[in-house]
Amino acid sequence: MNLQNIPRGPFVKGCFIADDNHSFVEFDYKQLEFRVLAMYANDENLNEFINSGKDIHKHVASLFFNVPVDEVTKEQRQIAKDTVFGYQYLETEEAVAGKFNITVEEVRYRRQIIESQFPGLKPTIDRLVAESQ
């Protein structure tokens, strides 16, 4: 049974009790989609981030907003995360611009940052799209 969408609070999770001789196992899918893409892309920079345990979304946010990593706010991190996932899942530039109330040029600038930091991503995404058609 997948309980992935159950709220994290202890009250709700406490309502689930495993039968005798069974257990619930909890997994952290932290940055799973990005990790899978990194595996396919074999991008050295991306793999270095994943293996180091550093927060890739904070790193990207620091580049987007030109601030040190330790000064990235939760909001900036979330914007970077949403932008990276939008990039990864082929969200249009217009959709991203509308979501964040920014210009398409700003979206292009952010995507250029992503591509310069992780040069294996775009060719891999392009290849996966071509293979799926």
Side-chain angles (χ1 to χ4, degrees), residues 4-49:
Q4 183 174 346
N5 296 321
I6 302 299
R8 293 179 181 252
F11 174 76
V12 175
K13 282 196 173 183
C15 293
F16 294 89
I17 301 169
D19 291 337
D20 291 340
N21 299 319
H22 291 86
S23 300
F24 285 115
V25 179
E26 187 170 337
F27 293 96
D28 182 0
Y29 293 122
K30 186 176 183 180
Q31 301 173 355
L32 179 66
E33 295 100 332
F34 219 57
R35 291 172 185 271
V36 171
L37 183 58
M39 180 187 73
Y40 280 102
N42 199 23
D43 183 279
E44 188 175 322
N45 293 340
L46 186 53
N47 285 322
E48 181 181 323
F49 263 95

Side-chain angles (χ1 to χ4, degrees), residues 32-117:
L32 179 66
E33 295 100 332
F34 219 57
R35 291 172 185 271
V36 171
L37 183 58
M39 180 187 73
Y40 280 102
N42 199 23
D43 183 279
E44 188 175 322
N45 293 340
L46 186 53
N47 285 322
E48 181 181 323
F49 263 95
I50 288 170
N51 293 330
S52 72
K54 293 178 186 175
D55 186 330
I56 195 162
H57 301 305
K58 266 190 164 183
H59 171 73
V60 172
S62 75
L63 297 171
F64 282 179
F65 298 102
N66 198 29
V67 297
V69 171
D70 59 341
E71 292 180 20
V72 169
T73 66
K74 285 183 179 182
E75 181 182 2
Q76 290 170 327
R77 183 190 182 279
Q78 187 63 49
I79 289 169
K81 181 179 177 180
D82 289 350
T83 303
V84 169
F85 282 128
Y87 178 84
Q88 181 176 335
Y89 290 111
L90 306 175
E91 191 171 19
T92 67
E93 293 172 342
E94 293 78 14
V96 175
K99 183 187 305 183
F100 298 117
N101 197 26
I102 59 175
T103 66
V104 170
E105 289 75 24
E106 177 67 17
V107 174
R108 287 184 187 136
Y109 169 74
R110 289 179 181 180
R111 288 182 172 185
Q112 288 172 349
I113 289 173
I114 294 167
E115 290 171 3
S116 70
Q117 286 294 298

